[in-house]
Amino acid sequence: MPTPLSGEDLDRAVAQLPGWRVTDNGLTASYRVDRTLVPSLYVAVAAAEDAADHHAEITILYGTVSFVLNTHSEGGAVTEKDTDMAARINEVAADHQATPL
């Protein structure tokens, strides 16, 4: 079972995740991407989520794709599962020419 990150562990993890920040909803990031690449970005993120068995809340608005990660089984806290998925989303986003906002 994942353990919630707090304090220094959370700060250290987020410092390694360009574009990500902690909000009341969890770990969040938004990316700007060419609208023609949004479908392939979404498909690639969905495949990564399925492989990790951990899924983000995803919002798409024109050329902006936003993600919220938290661990429901831990009351919506941010855990290592979330920071690992955020790192993977950063990789996928870079592969699809998406830039953090």
Side-chain angles (χ1 to χ4, degrees):
M1 192 150 221
T3 303
L5 298 174
S6 60
E8 290 180 15
D9 290 335
L10 185 55
D11 292 341
R12 203 171 16 257
V14 172
Q16 300 300 312
L17 296 167
W20 290 85
R21 66 186 188 288
V22 178
T23 68
D24 290 341
N25 296 328
L27 196 57
T28 65
S30 294
Y31 296 84
R32 170 83 55 214
V33 61
D34 184 290
R35 284 175 40 98
T36 62
L37 297 175
V38 169
S40 62
L41 171 61
Y42 179 82
V43 167
V45 168
E49 291 174 326
D50 289 347
D53 192 28
H54 194 62
H55 301 85
E57 177 184 314
I58 302 172
T59 304
I60 299 170
L61 181 61
Y62 302 106
T64 301
V65 182
S66 300
F67 301 90
V68 178
L69 289 163
N70 60 55
T71 303
H72 298 285
S73 64
E74 293 301 317
V78 176
T79 69
E80 192 172 310
K81 287 184 81 164
D82 302 304
T83 57
D84 289 349
M85 181 53 58
R88 184 67 185 114
I89 289 171
N90 274 356
E91 293 170 359
V92 172
D95 290 345
H96 289 81
Q97 302 166 11
T99 55
L101 293 179

